[in-house]
Short mmCIF file of all heavy atoms in Angstrom, two decimals:
data_model
loop_
_atom_site.label_atom_id
_atom_site.label_comp_id
_atom_site.label_asym_id
_atom_site.label_seq_id
_atom_site.Cartn_x
_atom_site.Cartn_y
_atom_site.Cartn_z
N ILE V 1 102.49 94.22 92.99
CA ILE V 1 102.57 94.57 94.37
C ILE V 1 103.62 93.57 95.00
O ILE V 1 103.59 92.40 94.71
CB ILE V 1 101.22 94.48 95.10
CG1 ILE V 1 101.34 94.94 96.54
CG2 ILE V 1 100.63 93.09 95.03
CD1 ILE V 1 99.96 95.14 97.22
N SER V 2 104.43 94.15 95.87
CA SER V 2 105.44 93.32 96.62
C SER V 2 105.62 93.92 97.96
O SER V 2 105.14 95.02 98.24
CB SER V 2 106.73 93.21 95.86
OG SER V 2 107.33 94.47 95.69
N GLY V 3 106.35 93.25 98.85
CA GLY V 3 106.56 93.81 100.12
C GLY V 3 107.64 93.13 100.86
O GLY V 3 108.22 92.12 100.42
N ASP V 4 108.03 93.70 101.97
CA ASP V 4 109.03 93.19 102.84
C ASP V 4 108.51 93.30 104.29
O ASP V 4 108.51 94.40 104.87
CB ASP V 4 110.32 94.00 102.74
CG ASP V 4 111.50 93.36 103.51
OD1 ASP V 4 111.24 92.68 104.51
OD2 ASP V 4 112.64 93.55 103.12
N ASN V 5 108.00 92.16 104.78
CA ASN V 5 107.39 92.21 106.13
C ASN V 5 108.36 92.65 107.20
O ASN V 5 107.93 93.30 108.16
CB ASN V 5 106.74 90.84 106.43
CG ASN V 5 105.65 90.91 107.45
OD1 ASN V 5 104.76 91.73 107.38
ND2 ASN V 5 105.70 90.01 108.43
N ALA V 6 109.55 92.24 107.08
CA ALA V 6 110.56 92.60 108.09
C ALA V 6 110.81 94.11 108.11
O ALA V 6 111.19 94.62 109.17
CB ALA V 6 111.91 91.86 107.84
N LYS V 7 110.69 94.76 107.05
CA LYS V 7 110.86 96.16 106.98
C LYS V 7 109.59 96.96 107.10
O LYS V 7 109.56 98.21 106.99
CB LYS V 7 111.55 96.53 105.61
CG LYS V 7 112.96 96.05 105.49
CD LYS V 7 113.56 96.47 104.21
CE LYS V 7 115.02 96.10 104.09
NZ LYS V 7 115.62 96.47 102.81
N ASN V 8 108.43 96.28 107.26
CA ASN V 8 107.13 96.91 107.35
C ASN V 8 106.90 97.84 106.13
O ASN V 8 106.56 98.99 106.25
CB ASN V 8 107.04 97.72 108.63
CG ASN V 8 106.93 96.85 109.88
OD1 ASN V 8 106.86 95.63 109.78
ND2 ASN V 8 106.97 97.55 111.03
N ALA V 9 107.18 97.27 104.96
CA ALA V 9 107.06 98.05 103.73
C ALA V 9 106.38 97.26 102.65
O ALA V 9 106.46 96.07 102.56
CB ALA V 9 108.48 98.47 103.28
N VAL V 10 105.60 97.97 101.84
CA VAL V 10 104.97 97.42 100.70
C VAL V 10 105.22 98.32 99.49
O VAL V 10 105.39 99.52 99.66
CB VAL V 10 103.49 97.20 100.92
CG1 VAL V 10 102.78 98.56 101.20
CG2 VAL V 10 102.78 96.42 99.80
N TYR V 11 105.31 97.74 98.31
CA TYR V 11 105.72 98.41 97.12
C TYR V 11 104.71 98.16 95.97
O TYR V 11 103.99 97.18 96.01
CB TYR V 11 107.12 98.00 96.69
CG TYR V 11 108.14 98.04 97.81
CD1 TYR V 11 108.48 96.90 98.48
CD2 TYR V 11 108.76 99.24 98.17
CE1 TYR V 11 109.37 96.91 99.51
CE2 TYR V 11 109.63 99.27 99.17
CZ TYR V 11 109.98 98.10 99.85
OH TYR V 11 110.87 98.11 100.88
N LEU V 12 104.72 99.07 95.07
CA LEU V 12 103.88 98.92 93.84
C LEU V 12 104.73 99.35 92.68
O LEU V 12 105.01 100.53 92.51
CB LEU V 12 102.62 99.78 93.89
CG LEU V 12 101.67 99.59 92.77
CD1 LEU V 12 101.03 98.19 92.78
CD2 LEU V 12 100.58 100.66 92.76
N GLN V 13 105.14 98.36 91.88
CA GLN V 13 105.86 98.59 90.67
C GLN V 13 104.82 98.87 89.56
O GLN V 13 103.98 98.00 89.34
CB GLN V 13 106.75 97.48 90.29
CG GLN V 13 107.55 97.67 89.00
CD GLN V 13 108.54 98.77 89.07
OE1 GLN V 13 109.29 98.88 90.02
NE2 GLN V 13 108.56 99.62 88.06
N MET V 14 104.91 99.99 88.94
CA MET V 14 103.92 100.38 87.90
C MET V 14 104.65 100.54 86.61
O MET V 14 105.53 101.43 86.44
CB MET V 14 103.18 101.66 88.29
CG MET V 14 102.54 101.62 89.65
SD MET V 14 101.54 103.09 90.02
CE MET V 14 102.78 104.33 90.01
N ASN V 15 104.31 99.77 85.64
CA ASN V 15 104.93 99.82 84.28
C ASN V 15 103.83 100.10 83.28
O ASN V 15 102.66 99.98 83.50
CB ASN V 15 105.65 98.51 83.93
CG ASN V 15 106.71 98.11 84.86
OD1 ASN V 15 107.47 98.98 85.39
ND2 ASN V 15 106.89 96.81 85.13
N SER V 16 104.35 100.54 82.11
CA SER V 16 103.39 100.85 81.01
C SER V 16 102.27 101.79 81.44
O SER V 16 101.15 101.55 81.16
CB SER V 16 102.85 99.56 80.43
OG SER V 16 103.92 98.73 79.95
N LEU V 17 102.69 102.81 82.15
CA LEU V 17 101.67 103.70 82.71
C LEU V 17 100.86 104.43 81.60
O LEU V 17 101.36 104.79 80.52
CB LEU V 17 102.33 104.73 83.58
CG LEU V 17 102.77 104.18 85.01
CD1 LEU V 17 103.78 105.07 85.63
CD2 LEU V 17 101.57 104.06 85.89
N LYS V 18 99.60 104.62 81.94
CA LYS V 18 98.68 105.29 81.06
C LYS V 18 98.15 106.55 81.71
O LYS V 18 98.10 106.65 82.97
CB LYS V 18 97.51 104.38 80.71
CG LYS V 18 97.88 103.04 80.16
CD LYS V 18 96.64 102.09 79.99
CE LYS V 18 97.00 100.77 79.43
NZ LYS V 18 95.83 99.88 79.30
N PRO V 19 97.62 107.53 80.94
CA PRO V 19 97.02 108.73 81.54
C PRO V 19 95.92 108.36 82.55
O PRO V 19 95.79 109.05 83.53
CB PRO V 19 96.55 109.48 80.36
CG PRO V 19 97.48 109.06 79.26
CD PRO V 19 97.75 107.65 79.49
N GLU V 20 95.21 107.34 82.27
CA GLU V 20 94.12 106.95 83.15
C GLU V 20 94.60 106.41 84.53
O GLU V 20 93.78 106.23 85.45
CB GLU V 20 93.20 105.88 82.54
CG GLU V 20 93.90 104.60 82.22
CD GLU V 20 93.27 103.80 81.13
OE1 GLU V 20 93.37 104.23 79.94
OE2 GLU V 20 92.68 102.72 81.44
N ASP V 21 95.89 106.21 84.65
CA ASP V 21 96.48 105.77 85.92
C ASP V 21 96.72 107.02 86.86
O ASP V 21 97.07 106.86 88.02
CB ASP V 21 97.81 105.09 85.70
CG ASP V 21 97.65 103.80 85.01
OD1 ASP V 21 96.69 103.03 85.37
OD2 ASP V 21 98.49 103.45 84.13
N THR V 22 96.54 108.20 86.31
CA THR V 22 96.73 109.41 87.12
C THR V 22 95.75 109.43 88.25
O THR V 22 94.56 109.37 88.13
CB THR V 22 96.52 110.66 86.21
OG1 THR V 22 97.51 110.72 85.22
CG2 THR V 22 96.60 111.93 87.12
N ALA V 23 96.30 109.55 89.46
CA ALA V 23 95.53 109.50 90.74
C ALA V 23 96.44 109.70 91.86
O ALA V 23 97.67 109.69 91.77
CB ALA V 23 94.80 108.12 90.81
N VAL V 24 95.88 109.91 93.03
CA VAL V 24 96.59 109.81 94.30
C VAL V 24 96.56 108.38 94.74
O VAL V 24 95.47 107.77 94.83
CB VAL V 24 95.99 110.74 95.35
CG1 VAL V 24 96.81 110.58 96.69
CG2 VAL V 24 96.02 112.19 94.93
N TYR V 25 97.67 107.81 95.03
CA TYR V 25 97.81 106.43 95.41
C TYR V 25 98.04 106.30 96.90
O TYR V 25 98.87 107.03 97.50
CB TYR V 25 98.98 105.74 94.67
CG TYR V 25 98.63 105.43 93.22
CD1 TYR V 25 98.48 106.48 92.32
CD2 TYR V 25 98.45 104.17 92.82
CE1 TYR V 25 98.17 106.19 91.00
CE2 TYR V 25 98.13 103.87 91.49
CZ TYR V 25 97.97 104.88 90.59
OH TYR V 25 97.67 104.59 89.27
N TYR V 26 97.32 105.40 97.52
CA TYR V 26 97.35 105.21 98.97
C TYR V 26 97.64 103.73 99.27
O TYR V 26 97.21 102.87 98.53
CB TYR V 26 96.05 105.56 99.63
CG TYR V 26 95.52 106.94 99.41
CD1 TYR V 26 94.76 107.22 98.29
CD2 TYR V 26 95.80 107.96 100.26
CE1 TYR V 26 94.21 108.51 98.07
CE2 TYR V 26 95.30 109.28 100.05
CZ TYR V 26 94.53 109.54 98.98
OH TYR V 26 94.04 110.77 98.77
N CYS V 27 98.32 103.51 100.35
CA CYS V 27 98.44 102.13 100.83
C CYS V 27 97.69 102.12 102.16
O CYS V 27 97.54 103.08 102.87
CB CYS V 27 99.85 101.72 101.08
SG CYS V 27 100.81 102.62 102.32
N ASN V 28 97.11 100.94 102.46
CA ASN V 28 96.32 100.80 103.66
C ASN V 28 96.04 99.33 103.89
O ASN V 28 96.26 98.51 103.06
CB ASN V 28 95.00 101.57 103.50
CG ASN V 28 94.51 102.14 104.87
OD1 ASN V 28 94.94 101.71 105.89
ND2 ASN V 28 93.56 103.07 104.78
N ASP V 29 95.62 99.01 105.13
CA ASP V 29 95.17 97.69 105.45
C ASP V 29 93.69 97.78 105.69
O ASP V 29 93.04 98.84 105.68
CB ASP V 29 95.93 97.08 106.67
CG ASP V 29 95.76 97.86 107.93
OD1 ASP V 29 94.91 98.78 108.01
OD2 ASP V 29 96.54 97.62 108.86
N LEU V 30 93.05 96.64 105.88
CA LEU V 30 91.60 96.59 106.02
C LEU V 30 91.14 97.39 107.21
O LEU V 30 90.08 98.08 107.10
CB LEU V 30 91.15 95.09 106.21
CG LEU V 30 89.67 94.87 106.28
CD1 LEU V 30 88.90 95.46 105.08
CD2 LEU V 30 89.31 93.44 106.43
N GLN V 31 91.79 97.29 108.36
CA GLN V 31 91.35 98.04 109.51
C GLN V 31 91.45 99.54 109.29
O GLN V 31 90.57 100.29 109.71
CB GLN V 31 92.17 97.64 110.73
CG GLN V 31 91.85 96.24 111.23
CD GLN V 31 90.39 96.03 111.56
OE1 GLN V 31 89.76 96.89 112.30
NE2 GLN V 31 89.78 94.98 111.10
N GLY V 32 92.47 99.98 108.55
CA GLY V 32 92.54 101.37 108.27
C GLY V 32 91.44 101.87 107.38
O GLY V 32 90.95 102.96 107.55
N ILE V 33 91.05 101.00 106.43
CA ILE V 33 90.00 101.37 105.51
C ILE V 33 88.69 101.49 106.34
O ILE V 33 87.94 102.46 106.17
CB ILE V 33 89.91 100.37 104.41
CG1 ILE V 33 91.11 100.42 103.53
CG2 ILE V 33 88.62 100.56 103.56
CD1 ILE V 33 91.20 99.29 102.51
N VAL V 34 88.44 100.50 107.16
CA VAL V 34 87.18 100.48 107.94
C VAL V 34 87.12 101.72 108.86
O VAL V 34 86.05 102.31 108.98
CB VAL V 34 87.11 99.20 108.74
CG1 VAL V 34 85.93 99.31 109.82
CG2 VAL V 34 86.89 98.02 107.84
N LYS V 35 88.27 102.06 109.44
CA LYS V 35 88.26 103.22 110.42
C LYS V 35 88.41 104.58 109.67
O LYS V 35 88.29 105.58 110.32
CB LYS V 35 89.41 103.03 111.41
CG LYS V 35 89.21 101.83 112.34
CD LYS V 35 90.37 101.67 113.23
CE LYS V 35 90.23 100.44 114.16
NZ LYS V 35 91.43 100.29 115.05
N GLY V 36 88.67 104.52 108.45
CA GLY V 36 88.84 105.80 107.67
C GLY V 36 90.21 106.42 107.91
O GLY V 36 90.35 107.64 107.77
N TYR V 37 91.17 105.63 108.27
CA TYR V 37 92.54 106.15 108.48
C TYR V 37 93.36 105.98 107.23
O TYR V 37 93.85 104.88 106.89
CB TYR V 37 93.20 105.37 109.59
CG TYR V 37 92.61 105.60 111.01
CD1 TYR V 37 92.73 104.63 111.98
CD2 TYR V 37 91.84 106.69 111.25
CE1 TYR V 37 92.17 104.83 113.25
CE2 TYR V 37 91.31 106.91 112.51
CZ TYR V 37 91.46 105.97 113.48
OH TYR V 37 90.91 106.12 114.78
N TRP V 38 93.52 107.05 106.51
CA TRP V 38 94.31 107.08 105.29
C TRP V 38 95.47 108.04 105.42
O TRP V 38 95.38 109.08 106.09
CB TRP V 38 93.43 107.57 104.10
CG TRP V 38 92.37 106.64 103.78
CD1 TRP V 38 91.06 106.63 104.31
CD2 TRP V 38 92.40 105.52 102.87
NE1 TRP V 38 90.32 105.64 103.75
CE2 TRP V 38 91.13 104.94 102.90
CE3 TRP V 38 93.37 104.98 102.04
CZ2 TRP V 38 90.77 103.81 102.12
CZ3 TRP V 38 93.09 103.90 101.28
CH2 TRP V 38 91.77 103.32 101.30
N GLY V 39 96.58 107.76 104.80
CA GLY V 39 97.72 108.59 104.79
C GLY V 39 97.55 109.72 103.77
O GLY V 39 96.44 109.92 103.24
N GLN V 40 98.58 110.44 103.51
CA GLN V 40 98.51 111.56 102.56
C GLN V 40 98.48 111.06 101.11
O GLN V 40 98.09 111.82 100.25
CB GLN V 40 99.66 112.54 102.77
CG GLN V 40 99.63 113.27 104.07
CD GLN V 40 100.72 114.30 104.22
OE1 GLN V 40 101.82 114.12 103.69
NE2 GLN V 40 100.44 115.40 104.83
N GLY V 41 99.01 109.88 100.90
CA GLY V 41 99.05 109.36 99.54
C GLY V 41 100.19 109.97 98.78
O GLY V 41 100.88 110.90 99.26
N THR V 42 100.41 109.54 97.57
CA THR V 42 101.46 110.05 96.74
C THR V 42 100.84 110.20 95.30
O THR V 42 100.16 109.30 94.84
CB THR V 42 102.68 109.17 96.69
OG1 THR V 42 103.75 109.78 95.93
CG2 THR V 42 102.37 107.80 96.12
N GLN V 43 101.06 111.36 94.80
CA GLN V 43 100.43 111.73 93.51
C GLN V 43 101.24 111.12 92.33
O GLN V 43 102.45 111.22 92.25
CB GLN V 43 100.47 113.27 93.29
CG GLN V 43 99.93 113.71 91.93
CD GLN V 43 98.43 113.52 91.77
OE1 GLN V 43 97.64 113.89 92.63
NE2 GLN V 43 98.03 112.90 90.67
N VAL V 44 100.48 110.44 91.48
CA VAL V 44 101.02 109.88 90.24
C VAL V 44 100.31 110.62 89.05
O VAL V 44 99.13 110.54 88.97
CB VAL V 44 100.79 108.40 90.13
CG1 VAL V 44 101.20 107.89 88.73
CG2 VAL V 44 101.62 107.67 91.19
N THR V 45 101.08 111.26 88.23
CA THR V 45 100.54 111.92 87.09
C THR V 45 101.23 111.41 85.80
O THR V 45 102.44 111.47 85.68
CB THR V 45 100.80 113.41 87.17
OG1 THR V 45 100.22 113.96 88.39
CG2 THR V 45 100.12 114.13 86.00
#
């Protein structure tokens, strides 16, 4: 995981991917999780 606070962006570099990594991936902060505010996510297959 990495990020750029100035750009309001966070990244996830995923290497050596396995079939078990298949999922919808979401980013969020604690307040978003508590409030149930999730984005659409991005599908990784």
Side-chain angles (χ1 to χ4, degrees):
I1 187 171
S2 63
D4 187 333
N5 202 47
K7 294 183 178 180
N8 291 353
V10 62
Y11 310 97
L12 184 68
Q13 179 66 46
M14 306 186 296
N15 298 324
S16 302
L17 283 161
K18 304 175 180 179
E20 63 203 70
D21 295 318
T22 296
V24 178
Y25 284 70
Y26 304 87
C27 64
N28 213 343
D29 61 13
L30 181 58
Q31 290 303 310
I33 294 171
V34 170
K35 295 178 181 179
Y37 294 157
W38 296 89
Q40 292 184 327
T42 185
Q43 176 71 51
V44 172
T45 302

